Amino acid sequence: MEKVLLKNIGNPNSADITEYKKAGGYKSLQKALDLEPKAIIEEVKKSGLRGRGGAGFPAAMKWTFASADPKFPKYLLCNADEGEPGTFKDRPILEKNPHLLIEGMVISGYALRAEYGYIYLRGEYPDAKKILDTAIKQAYDEGLLGENIAGRGVKFHLSVHQGAGAYICGEETALIESLEGDRGQPRIKPPFPVNVGAFSQPTVVNNVETLSNLPYIIEIGGEAYSKIGSPECPGPKLYCISGHVEKPGVYELPMGTTLRDIIYNHCGGIKNGTKLKAVIPGGISTPVLPPDKIDCPMDFVNMPKHGSMLGSGAVIVMDESVCLVKVCYRALKFFEHESCGKCTPCREGTGWLRSILGRIENGEGMEGDIDLMLSIAGNVLGKTFCPLGDGAASVVQNFIKHFRPEFEEHISARKCVVKG
Amino acid sequence: MLSETAIKELEEIRAKYPTARAALLPALYIAQREFGYLSPEAYEAVSSALGVPKAIARGVGAFYAMYKHKPMGRNIVQLCTNVSCMILGAEKLADLLKNKYGLESGGTSPDGRFSLVIMECIGACGTAPAMLVNDDFYENLTEKYIEEILGKYK
Amino acid sequence: MITVTINGKEIKLEKAVTVLEAARAAGIKIPTLCYHEQLEKYGGCRLCLVEVEKMPRLQTACTLMVADGMVIRTETEAIADVRRGILEFLLINHPLDCPYCDKAGECELQDLVEKYGPTRGRFKEKKRKVPEVLEDPIIVRNMERCVVCTRCVRMCEGVQGASAIAVMNRGGHSHIEPFSGGRYECEYCGNCVSVCPVGAIMSRLHRHSYRPWQVKEKTETICPYCGVGCTVVAQVRDDSIKRVIPKIGSVVNNGMLCSRGRFGYEFVGSSERLTSPLIKKNGILEESTWEEAISLVAKRLGEIKNEHGGNAIAGIASPRCTNEDNYIFQKFMRVVLGTNNIDSTARNGYAGAQIFLENIFGQGATANIISGLSNSDTVLVLGGDPATVNPVLGLQIRAGSRKGGNILTVGHVKGLRNFNPVELNPKIFSDTVLLEGIVSALKDRKGLPGSNPLIEPRIKDINKSAGEIEKSCGVSEKDLAEFVDILAKSVNPSIVIGKEIIQSSGGSYKLLLIAAINYLINARIYLLSERANEQGLLDMGCAPDLLPGYRPVAFAEFRKRYDTSWKTTVPEKPGLSIFEMIDAAKNGSIKAMYVMGENPVYNLPNSGEVKSSLKNVGFLVVQDIFLTETGRLADVVLPSLSWAEKDGTYTNMERRIQLLGKAVNREGMEDWRIVSEVAKNMGARFHYSKAEEIFEEISRVSPLYRDLTYEEIEKGYAIYPYKGEPLRGVEEIVVHKADGVAAEGNLYLKVERPLFHSGTLSRRSPALIKIYPEAVARLSPVTAGSLSLKNGDMIRVSTKTGFMELPVLIDPEVESTFILLTNNFADKGAFSITGYTLDPVLKAPAIDCNVVTIDRVGK
Ligand SMILES: Cc1cc2nc3c(=O)[nH]c(=O)nc-3n(C[C@H](O)[C@H](O)[C@H](O)COP(=O)(O)O)c2cc1C
Ligand code: SF4
Ligand code: FES
């Protein structure tokens, strides 16, 4: 499959607008501007594009709601918070192919009749900040952003809003709070951002990868696009693989490539030929899978059927040397640190689970700790304000579900059995 | 008080948003740069520059991990220890920083040269273990490599 | 019509409400913690989770809006488990120090756990430890107990509008702090204390002094401080007030209070309270019996009346006393002493301004419902900070701005600065011209309605171009245009008038201009009122020219009405205003003076002058709860009961008549009873046994309170009816222009009216003193800089009238042409160096011309 999202990022100057144009950049924008906004949304609908941020929500549906709302101005926010541990798929677009994103955003902005866009960029990407600022300036200079885009009387302003180290700000309503200069805590829904979002105006929030698909959809048409990869959720997908594989990195593959194919073919198998012990397929919040469950097509529809989720497509591969209790502990440490504190179960539950896991890893586990953790996780799951808490709970549940003996041995041996 | 340049910079940023409040996060970054960390004075400066009540400004600043609330060393070492980095040896690196540079998480080396911040995922998992020193990314770290990197920062 | 089913019970609803509201309406209890009826929805605690058919996840009842056909379950086994689970989470890091916690007994967490469990703990880890913070004199923070419901923060930011506290950090480290982390820099409304469900934010005043369940008596009464008249509940134990709290649902303040109302009650139990009458014997006040004191007063007043006539005697009534007290007092002056020489400190501004405006627009023109302010699309504020003079009224203005209303101010108004006010800041002494400019512009914009023959001719004469304004006021044409545009466009505007503009040179003319604005934009007028019963005493006829019910003494038919009901002849000649009394005392024509519950030697400008004048009075009677500056000059001092110790009524600035409730018992007599005793001693028939009897008489004789009874008032909403037609006898508006007031100095004295003080009462309230401990001189950074003064430097502040030494406090909110002094601390009252001239129309003092010089006297 030809590269779409990572097209010519081999070129050291790929981030430069002239290089981007040489490679055919901004043609789709011209094409798009010849279409009615509605027609563009229609194409996106045909394409079957689903959000790449984790939830896999149909992009066209979100857009239809937002453009149906009579209020103006409307806002388009690009979610570049990429906070889900294990995820580094948006980074190459941001750092090597920024104009693809900008072009995608201008097209989307035009389709939504949104006049203002912000890229909510995580604070941990200082390079991306500089690169995007330069790229945006270039786009302004060439009249591809501003009051009168490509001389077509279309208005779209874009700038980067830098986050400051809060995973929860990847959640779209928390992101909006943070953009508005507040503590990044999720908002009550409804009303949904498509009606009452940034600055109380209709707002669409999309992931970097999602928006970067637009130029291609316009180029080849929704129909053709929908033929790529999984029928139910088509398109090219960025998978980012880390951990114990020979060739970790970001791979652009058709949506629905199986986990096994990704690990063993594309990434050259397990590092130093050791044995696979566990895989987290979609970022740390998604349920861990044991080696016998990796023949699943990596897409939004099939992963749930195989007991996990596609999430952000962040595959973390772990070999025999890894202590899963410790991984689970580290994951909960993360959730505890990132809990925004708004709702009780997540605020208190994550810390409690973390400390129990810490004890077990340090050989201070007690009889009944495992069932206690399951009970606590049960009291969190489905009770929290936003999915972050759910993620924390399901991590514990699934590690125990698939690897209970390892936890039990830690407790009975009163030490970490993997370290030996 | 913020410097002339900072005020100008802030005005430009302010113009990008429909409300002054929305410029708060960028303003706090500027103040952090100017004051070294977000001291009460820094918050007061931001508060009067944007007309945001100072308690509110501090509440917002205190929410985000990348705003610093105590003086920092000359260089900030931000080491990722999240799962991908951890399973590829980030902990050994943390031990090294502790034993060789006297760097505890959140602490500053006696000579004030480095401060260490243990990070959640910094998005370099494919090249783990990784860290940021100030604004520079360093990936595929080893104990040897880290020492040679830190050597560059005075 | 929406129909929902909760626990099998069908509920019909007029409009969409939350599931929680629907359930409560149907008598179904759903536990809540972060929910609070005064606050914005939050949905954080998760205690109110319920099952809703066709919805995959549990839903929070406090945030979910009902939809037709919704089927909800709130009491399933699963839900019970969820609640237990949530409560367990709230308890794991909670100190469980209930035996030691003041909240125990009224703690929402305690009650919830008692009801839903858990019964045993499964938490084997270390609890989070956070030390209690006692750095603030008034508020204790114990963040170990905090459940992060954020009710306090939502109250402080979203309702009070002080934005003084916020949640710091996040996740498990979330906790609430003021900016400093220790002491609060806030309005000390204490409304955060009201809404905290646990013992995390509490008042220090009653710390560890009692248990909530030990409070037997809870008396509903009215705050004694300002003219808003907030309902308060005094919680009493052993005849001492332990705590004062607001009441949700009360008409005026619906659950809100300000610092004075909530924390200013300690004066009641002060050891400095007068206990027995005092009689001056060879220069020294000595305790005496009531009999001796009363008969002495009666005897001397009688003699002086016989010798010099009633008009040689003057009486000063009290805006802190009840209607009943004041009615009896003026009746005593008129009937027993036969003089109309009765007035009060309302003459400082409120009285004159009100009469002036009502002469133009008719009686009741300034009687408007406070809560109405929040629905005004524009509020124009002149001459004072509503948020400090009448704090709870200020909240309504803030609420209006939150709803998208405009706030316009002439001059900088600190209490509204976070509510994007549109400010015009005219040069000193140019506000008259500015107002003329606004009137001219509005006239051109809107034309004359033609409905008021009194004011229209006056408006016709007013013509000032924007250019002139720019020249003489330093207000740009653009700013003026924007300001006028907002005024002209507003649909239901309000105008809020503070004392500063009334107490300025040419005050009556400025009021005319404000009246003109009011007329042109058809607004509602609010006159800020600093004293709880300022309005009531006027209604009661404590004015030299008005009988009860605002009936002019000058009109025979009104006098006749009172002649018959009082069985006497009301003296025909209007009496002396309070300032005329002082002059008369000075020149010796006033031989005796009876002061009830007032402290003129402190509360009138040029107080030094007032003091020497009163020294000149042959026989001075002072009736008060403390030995005030005035009391010390008296020949006889009569101790009276305070607000908390008596029944009666107050009338607030809306003219809402409200019942006081006797909260504590104390030996002694109410003011009306003392006066009646004196009257009886002088042979008059003043046989009243209780306040209610007096009120019955008032409702018989006063056209304003006609047929009103305590029962009626009890029901609330006793706002007396007005026809709104102008008082008879007004043919033209008389004003006094103060032309040629020019800036002679570069620094002028201005009286600060701090949120935390009122004068005599607050001075005896330790809590308020702790918040604002001593008199200071507030200077702008500019002024301080030019004199190279630092905070704390001692300076001598001198005016033509006198001088005073005070520490400097540099305050960026002070305009550089002013120095702000308070009139709230003993021997440091700004009025002691404040000279004034009287506005002949309003009879109010103009105090804006005091040029100040500053000398450093020490560090
Ligand atoms: C706790 C949490 C963290 C999230 N983090 C991210 C993120 O880092 N990047 C992202 O694109 N979406 C993230 N999401 C998903 C967003 O809420 C939202 O669904 C997404 O940005 C929508 O864009 P899409 O439809 O293009 O995927 C997160 C959601 C949750 C609940
Ligand atoms: S689950 Fe609750 S506490 Fe956790 S992040 Fe979401 S809202 Fe915040
Ligand atoms: S009361 Fe509904 S979530 Fe707290």
Side-chain angles (χ1 to χ4, degrees):
Chain A
M1 186 192 77
E2 66 164 312
K3 296 253 178 296
V4 174
L5 303 165
L6 303 183
K7 190 171 172 184
N8 87 340
I9 61 168
N11 175 340
N13 303 330
S14 60
D16 184 74
I17 192 162
T18 37
E19 293 297 313
Y20 180 70
K21 281 183 159 174
K22 268 208 216 105
Y26 286 108
K27 284 212 179 63
S28 295
L29 173 58
Q30 299 294 348
K31 192 169 165 195
L33 294 176
D34 294 334
L35 302 169
E36 279 301 307
K38 288 235 170 321
I40 298 174
I41 299 180
E42 205 33 55
E43 283 307 308
V44 175
K45 192 164 181 183
K46 284 205 210 97
S47 76
L49 176 67
R50 286 213 197 187
R52 306 291 198 239
F57 192 84
M61 204 188 289
K62 201 184 279 186
W63 290 19
T64 315
F65 291 141
S67 46
D69 191 298
K71 286 200 286 338
F72 284 92
K74 300 186 201 289
Y75 291 89
L76 171 65
L77 309 182
C78 170
N79 190 335
D81 197 50
E82 188 142 83
E84 180 70 22
T87 315
F88 51 103
K89 66 179 183 74
D90 293 340
R91 200 174 146 201
I93 298 180
L94 297 165
E95 291 180 357
K96 302 223 163 59
N97 214 354
H99 286 288
L100 178 69
L101 173 60
I102 295 171
E103 183 176 10
M105 284 190 79
V106 180
I107 294 171
S108 315
Y110 171 66
L112 293 159
R113 285 179 296 144
E115 297 180 328
Y116 302 93
Y118 297 94
I119 299 172
Y120 188 96
L121 177 69
R122 66 186 314 217
E124 295 86 344
Y125 283 175
D127 296 347
K129 172 79 163 76
K130 298 188 198 87
I131 293 161
L132 284 168
D133 283 341
T134 321
I136 288 173
K137 184 169 181 320
Q138 291 176 331
Y140 267 103
D141 294 344
E142 306 218 355
L144 297 164
L145 282 172
E147 289 292 318
N148 179 15
I149 291 170
R152 307 285 286 274
V154 175
K155 170 180 175 185
F156 188 71
H157 287 281
L158 182 63
S159 60
V160 179
H161 185 88
Q162 206 172 4
Y167 166 63
I168 187 60
C169 290
E171 192 282 331
E172 57 187 0
T173 60
L175 181 149
I176 290 168
E177 288 284 307
S178 184
L179 172 71
E180 291 183 7
D182 215 325
R183 298 167 55 87
Q185 292 187 316
R187 287 180 181 174
I188 296 166
K189 292 189 264 187
F192 293 94
V194 288
N195 303 113
V196 184
F199 312 105
S200 310
Q201 294 299 101
T203 300
V204 163
V205 183
N206 275 125
N207 168 257
V208 172
E209 185 184 347
T210 314
L211 293 164
S212 301
N213 272 284
L214 260 100
Y216 191 59
I217 292 174
I218 295 300
E219 184 187 334
I220 68 167
E223 203 53 57
Y225 181 97
S226 68
K227 303 277 181 293
I228 305 166
S230 308
E232 307 94 329
C233 46
K237 174 76 187 102
L238 295 179
Y239 298 103
C240 46
I241 298 83
S242 62
H244 297 122
V245 289
E246 285 297 340
K247 293 183 275 139
V250 181
Y251 292 82
E252 181 174 355
L253 303 167
M255 183 73 91
T257 314
T258 69
L259 194 47
R260 181 177 300 280
D261 191 20
I262 292 173
I263 296 172
Y264 286 94
N265 301 342
H266 300 282
C267 297
I270 308 304
K271 207 169 184 177
N272 321 326
T274 56
K275 235 166 120 268
L276 175 65
K277 184 175 186 181
V279 191
I280 296 171
I284 214 165
S285 315
T286 60
V288 62
L289 293 173
D292 59 339
K293 295 225 165 24
I294 63 172
D295 295 289
C296 44
M298 287 276 281
D299 64 37
F300 293 111
V301 185
N302 287 295
M303 287 306 281
K305 297 180 189 155
H306 290 74
S308 190
M309 292 187 300
L310 177 59
S312 60
V315 182
I316 304 174
V317 179
M318 293 168 271
D319 72 11
E320 289 287 326
S321 70
V322 175
C323 170
L324 296 177
V325 175
K326 190 164 176 183
V327 171
C328 189
Y329 162 77
R330 184 60 186 83
L332 266 291
K333 194 158 176 284
F334 164 78
F335 288 113
E336 177 187 26
H337 183 256
E338 299 302 334
S339 168
C340 83
K342 178 168 187 168
C343 74
T344 310
C346 173
R347 184 182 67 241
E348 302 296 339
T350 49
W352 192 0
L353 288 166
R354 187 266 307 144
S355 51
I356 296 173
L357 285 159
R359 279 198 288 105
I360 298 177
E361 174 62 10
N362 299 331
E364 294 152 23
M366 301 180 213
E367 207 44 44
D369 273 347
I370 296 177
D371 293 329
L372 177 57
M373 285 195 290
L374 288 173
S375 158
I376 296 167
N379 287 344
V380 173
L381 192 78
K383 321 294 187 301
T384 56
F385 190 98
C386 88
L388 185 148
D390 293 330
S394 75
V395 164
V396 172
Q397 290 174 330
N398 285 283
F399 270 82
I400 295 177
K401 175 167 154 218
H402 296 298
F403 306 97
R404 185 164 185 139
E406 188 164 330
F407 286 79
E408 283 162 347
E409 286 166 42
H410 271 77
I411 295 174
S412 50
R414 302 202 134 281
K415 64 178 190 348
C416 177
V417 289
V418 180
K419 281 199 226 95
Chain B
M1 273 306 291
L2 291 167
S3 67
E4 281 305 314
T5 47
I7 297 279
K8 275 192 88 305
E9 189 180 349
L10 187 51
E11 277 161 4
E12 283 161 22
I13 291 169
R14 164 69 185 88
K16 295 177 176 174
Y17 301 97
T19 66
R21 175 70 179 268
L24 184 53
L25 266 64
L28 291 175
Y29 271 121
I30 293 173
Q32 176 158 290
R33 192 187 67 213
E34 294 250 315
F35 291 79
Y37 70 104
L38 291 180
S39 59
E41 297 68 31
Y43 277 120
E44 269 158 356
V46 168
S47 162
S48 57
L50 293 179
V52 175
K54 56 188 183 177
I56 302 293
R58 198 185 139 218
V60 171
F63 181 87
Y64 297 93
M66 292 179 78
Y67 293 126
K68 306 289 181 286
H69 292 87
K70 55 177 199 260
M72 287 281 130
R74 293 194 294 285
N75 304 289
I76 304 186
V77 179
Q78 304 169 78
L79 179 72
C80 175
T81 63
N82 206 298
V83 174
S84 302
C85 285
M86 178 184 87
I87 62 177
L88 289 164
E91 286 176 320
K92 278 203 219 65
L93 304 175
D95 295 343
L96 174 94
L97 291 172
K98 180 161 180 237
N99 304 332
K100 198 148 179 357
Y101 298 83
L103 282 172
E104 298 274 3
S105 170
T108 300
S109 59
D111 57 4
R113 185 167 153 213
F114 295 111
S115 289
L116 173 64
V117 182
I118 294 298
M119 301 290 279
E120 293 302 347
C121 184
I122 60 174
C125 324
T127 46
M131 69 175 179
L132 273 158
V133 180
N134 306 331
D135 279 358
D136 316 324
F137 263 102
Y138 295 99
E139 310 179 335
N140 297 313
L141 297 172
T142 62
E143 277 152 309
K144 187 164 156 306
Y145 183 28
I146 261 200
E147 295 194 36
E148 138 193 349
I149 295 163
L150 295 190
K152 292 190 293 183
Y153 293 88
K154 294 293 164 227
Chain C
M1 200 51 142
I2 303 166
T3 312
V4 296
T5 314
I6 306 183
N7 303 344
K9 184 169 173 189
E10 244 195 32
I11 299 161
K12 300 218 172 302
L13 298 149
E14 292 303 328
K15 59 179 193 3
V17 295
T18 63
V19 170
L20 181 66
E21 287 157 343
R24 291 198 169 172
I28 296 167
K29 281 213 166 20
I30 299 174
T32 60
L33 198 53
C34 67
Y35 168 83
H36 192 283
E37 58 210 301
Q38 288 175 283
L39 306 174
E40 213 175 80
K41 295 181 192 173
Y42 190 62
C45 79
R46 319 303 289 171
L47 262 171
C48 68
L49 286 168
V50 295
E51 293 173 6
V52 181
E53 274 184 16
K54 302 202 192 61
M55 288 197 172
R57 286 174 74 95
L58 298 174
Q59 300 291 321
T60 43
C62 69
T63 60
L64 182 69
M65 300 301 281
V66 292
D68 197 30
M70 222 178 227
V71 179
I72 301 144
R73 279 180 232 85
T74 73
E75 291 301 333
T76 63
E77 247 324 293
I79 291 294
D81 294 343
V82 171
R83 289 172 187 165
R84 207 176 304 110
I86 302 287
L87 288 166
E88 179 181 36
F89 284 136
L90 288 171
L91 290 182
I92 58 174
N93 281 299
H94 191 86
L96 294 172
D97 56 352
C98 311
Y100 173 80
C101 176
D102 273 339
K103 196 75 173 189
E106 57 179 16
C107 171
E108 294 182 30
L109 182 60
Q110 201 177 45
D111 298 350
L112 286 163
V113 174
E114 188 271 327
K115 190 151 187 263
Y116 300 100
T119 48
R120 52 187 251 313
R122 305 186 291 173
F123 186 71
K124 307 185 199 71
E125 326 302 317
K126 267 201 221 59
K127 278 185 191 277
R128 210 181 292 134
K129 283 259 153 274
V130 195
E132 187 165 60
V133 183
L134 288 159
E135 281 172 53
D136 190 80
I138 306 300
I139 295 170
V140 204
R141 275 188 308 116
N142 184 317
M143 284 303 127
E144 242 162 42
R145 298 177 187 151
C146 177
V147 291
V148 204
C149 63
T150 72
R151 273 155 59 159
C152 53
V153 175
R154 283 176 286 148
M155 170 56 78
C156 186
E157 186 178 6
V159 185
Q160 178 68 22
S163 299
I165 53 175
V167 183
M168 300 297 163
N169 304 337
R170 70 186 189 207
H173 300 289
S174 308
H175 64 280
I176 283 67
E177 266 184 26
F179 180 74
S180 76
R183 207 174 201 279
Y184 285 62
E185 295 165 75
C186 73
E187 302 181 337
Y188 284 101
C189 62
N191 292 317
C192 53
V193 175
S194 300
V195 293
C196 180
V198 295
I201 298 187
M202 300 221 269
S203 159
R204 274 182 90 158
L205 276 60
H206 55 83
R207 194 156 185 262
H208 300 328
S209 70
Y210 74 102
R211 289 306 206 170
W213 58 84
Q214 293 171 323
V215 172
K216 298 274 173 302
E217 311 88 90
K218 295 191 174 65
T219 312
E220 198 170 315
T221 184
I222 303 302
C223 172
Y225 280 96
C226 87
V228 171
C230 294
T231 297
V232 297
V233 177
Q235 299 190 338
V236 178
R237 186 180 171 203
D238 316 333
D239 271 327
S240 107
I241 300 179
K242 287 293 168 203
R243 178 168 67 168
V244 166
I245 55 173
K247 177 169 162 246
I248 288 176
S250 60
V251 256
V252 177
N253 56 313
N254 183 22
M256 304 295 285
L257 280 183
C258 80
S259 59
R260 293 178 298 227
R262 186 187 299 269
F263 299 120
Y265 56 85
E266 292 164 297
F267 73 88
V268 172
S270 165
S271 55
E272 296 172 45
R273 285 282 301 274
L274 287 166
T275 48
S276 82
L278 307 172
I279 295 177
K280 191 165 277 169
K281 297 184 176 150
N282 41 49
I284 302 157
L285 286 167
E286 293 175 6
E287 298 205 344
S288 80
T289 64
W290 274 105
E291 294 67 23
E292 196 187 350
I294 297 278
S295 53
L296 176 62
V297 173
K299 180 164 141 298
R300 295 288 288 113
L301 291 178
E303 290 166 0
I304 292 166
K305 182 187 177 191
N306 297 337
E307 206 171 321
H308 307 277
N311 287 339
I313 308 173
I316 296 180
S318 172
R320 295 223 179 276
C321 286
T322 62
N323 288 325
E324 291 75 2
D325 295 327
N326 283 300
Y327 173 81
I328 290 297
F329 188 59
Q330 62 84 35
K331 184 177 175 183
F332 170 72
M333 294 304 294
R334 291 187 162 116
V335 174
V336 181
L337 300 180
T339 176
N340 284 315
N341 289 344
I342 173 153
D343 203 9
S344 73
T345 48
R347 197 62 54 196
N348 263 332
Y350 187 81
Q354 182 179 83
I355 303 287
F356 182 89
L357 292 164
E358 301 204 337
N359 282 350
I360 299 172
F361 298 113
Q363 247 184 355
T366 64
N368 293 299
I369 302 302
I370 293 168
S371 57
L373 278 164
S374 68
N375 304 324
S376 287
D377 55 352
T378 301
V379 179
L380 169 60
V381 179
L382 313 103
D385 185 348
T388 63
V389 177
N390 295 123
V392 169
L393 176 146
L395 296 185
Q396 294 295 336
I397 300 177
R398 292 172 175 179
S401 140
R402 247 183 243 106
K403 292 188 204 165
N406 307 297
I407 296 180
L408 304 179
T409 71
V410 173
H412 176 66
V413 179
K414 190 174 173 185
L416 298 173
R417 69 187 183 296
N418 291 338
F419 297 82
N420 38 36
V422 180
E423 284 183 13
L424 292 185
N425 290 300
K427 293 197 210 110
I428 187 159
F429 296 128
S430 71
D431 51 349
T432 310
V433 182
L434 177 67
L435 290 171
E436 288 175 329
I438 295 173
V439 171
S440 315
L442 280 172
K443 177 176 58 175
D444 302 345
R445 268 290 280 274
K446 310 200 62 145
L448 292 165
S451 54
N452 186 323
L454 268 178
I455 195 167
E456 290 216 345
R458 309 305 300 267
I459 298 178
K460 287 209 184 70
D461 309 341
I462 300 164
N463 296 297
K464 276 270 188 312
S465 74
E468 292 170 83
I469 304 307
E470 176 139 22
K471 208 151 80 281
S472 39
C473 309
V475 170
S476 78
E477 299 202 13
K478 188 182 136 302
D479 294 354
L480 179 66
E482 180 197 8
F483 198 89
V484 169
D485 184 63
I486 295 172
L487 278 176
K489 285 208 187 97
S490 39
V491 183
N492 56 347
S494 300
I495 300 180
V496 177
I497 305 171
K499 238 194 217 167
E500 274 164 35
I501 202 151
I502 305 166
Q503 293 182 335
S504 67
S505 316
S508 50
Y509 180 55
K510 287 177 194 169
L511 279 179
L512 173 69
L513 294 167
I514 296 170
I517 295 172
N518 177 66
Y519 178 65
L520 289 165
I521 63 174
N522 186 19
R524 284 186 247 111
I525 296 181
Y526 294 80
L527 266 181
L528 299 183
S529 168
E530 289 184 6
R531 297 280 192 266
N533 205 30
E534 207 164 15
Q535 180 60 49
L537 73 92
L538 292 170
D539 296 348
M540 292 304 114
C542 291
D545 54 344
L546 296 173
L547 292 160
Y550 283 79
R551 293 312 187 232
V553 170
F555 288 80
E557 70 262 37
F558 292 137
R559 284 204 306 280
K560 216 171 287 104
R561 181 187 298 154
Y562 287 98
D563 290 349
T564 34
S565 43
W566 289 343
K567 307 194 180 49
T568 179
T569 35
V570 174
E572 182 172 343
K573 179 163 158 292
L576 302 173
S577 77
I578 193 166
F579 294 98
E580 291 162 339
M581 290 177 193
I582 302 301
D583 295 343
K586 187 171 185 183
N587 68 35
S589 52
I590 287 292
K591 307 286 183 212
M593 193 180 278
Y594 195 142
V595 180
M596 176 182 81
E598 186 51 87
N599 187 9
V601 169
Y602 193 84
N603 292 333
L604 293 179
N606 200 349
S607 43
E609 204 44 38
V610 176
K611 186 170 180 181
S612 50
S613 307
L614 291 196
K615 279 201 181 128
N616 212 22
V617 172
F619 185 65
L620 179 63
V621 183
V622 174
Q623 187 170 303
D624 209 313
I625 64 174
F626 291 109
L627 186 59
T628 63
E629 286 85 349
T630 311
R632 290 198 195 89
L633 307 179
D635 298 279
V636 180
V637 177
L638 302 168
S640 56
L641 292 178
S642 82
W643 139 91
E645 295 139 359
K646 59 187 178 187
D647 301 312
T649 57
Y650 276 169
T651 305
N652 78 351
M653 57 194 289
E654 300 170 299
R655 319 219 180 162
R656 187 186 301 277
I657 301 143
Q658 310 195 92
L659 273 185
L660 298 189
K662 181 175 179 181
V664 297
N665 300 297
R666 183 187 177 96
E667 283 219 5
M669 291 190 271
E670 305 87 337
D671 290 275
W672 62 262
R673 204 183 290 275
I674 302 171
V675 175
S676 305
E677 285 307 312
V678 175
K680 282 190 266 176
N681 254 264
M682 296 176 74
R685 296 189 66 266
F686 269 59
H687 298 297
Y688 305 94
S689 60
K690 55 190 212 317
E692 188 162 9
E693 268 174 42
I694 302 167
F695 194 81
E696 282 159 9
E697 178 172 324
I698 295 168
S699 66
R700 266 199 314 281
V701 303
S702 164
L704 301 179
Y705 289 61
R706 178 157 302 137
D707 303 335
L708 200 52
T709 62
Y710 274 16
E711 296 86 273
E712 282 301 311
I713 299 172
E714 196 111 44
K715 295 196 204 110
Y717 308 100
I719 298 187
Y720 56 71
Y722 274 111
K723 313 284 172 303
E725 83 277 349
L727 282 179
R728 262 170 286 180
V730 185
E731 299 84 15
E732 56 154 352
I733 309 167
V734 189
V735 298
H736 170 70
K737 271 198 197 185
D739 298 321
V741 193
E744 315 147 4
N746 42 21
L747 197 58
Y748 284 81
L749 186 156
K750 193 167 182 174
V751 178
E752 176 194 358
R753 298 192 162 83
L755 170 56
F756 308 113
H757 288 289
S758 68
T760 321
L761 300 189
S762 64
R763 266 193 265 158
R764 308 299 203 299
S765 300
L768 299 178
I769 295 296
K770 285 187 204 128
I771 297 172
Y772 194 136
E774 58 160 5
V776 293
R778 282 180 198 272
L779 296 173
S780 70
V782 181
T783 315
S786 66
L787 300 166
S788 57
L789 290 167
K790 288 182 309 315
N791 279 327
D793 291 354
M794 278 309 268
I795 54 170
R796 174 183 284 109
V797 183
S798 319
T799 66
K800 285 210 191 78
T801 313
F803 69 84
M804 188 158 54
E805 297 189 353
L806 291 165
V808 169
L809 193 137
I810 301 167
D811 180 347
E813 308 253 0
V814 178
E815 295 132 290
S816 54
T817 39
F818 293 111
I819 173 171
L820 259 62
L821 307 185
T822 60
N823 198 63
N824 304 99
F825 297 93
D827 311 324
K828 295 285 183 202
F831 278 171
S832 65
I833 61 168
T834 306
Y836 67 90
T837 54
L838 276 188
D839 181 295
V841 180
L842 304 176
K843 300 248 170 62
I847 58 172
D848 58 342
C849 295
N850 289 283
V851 179
V852 173
T853 54
I854 294 180
D855 312 279
R856 178 204 297 273
V857 292
K859 288 250 166 289

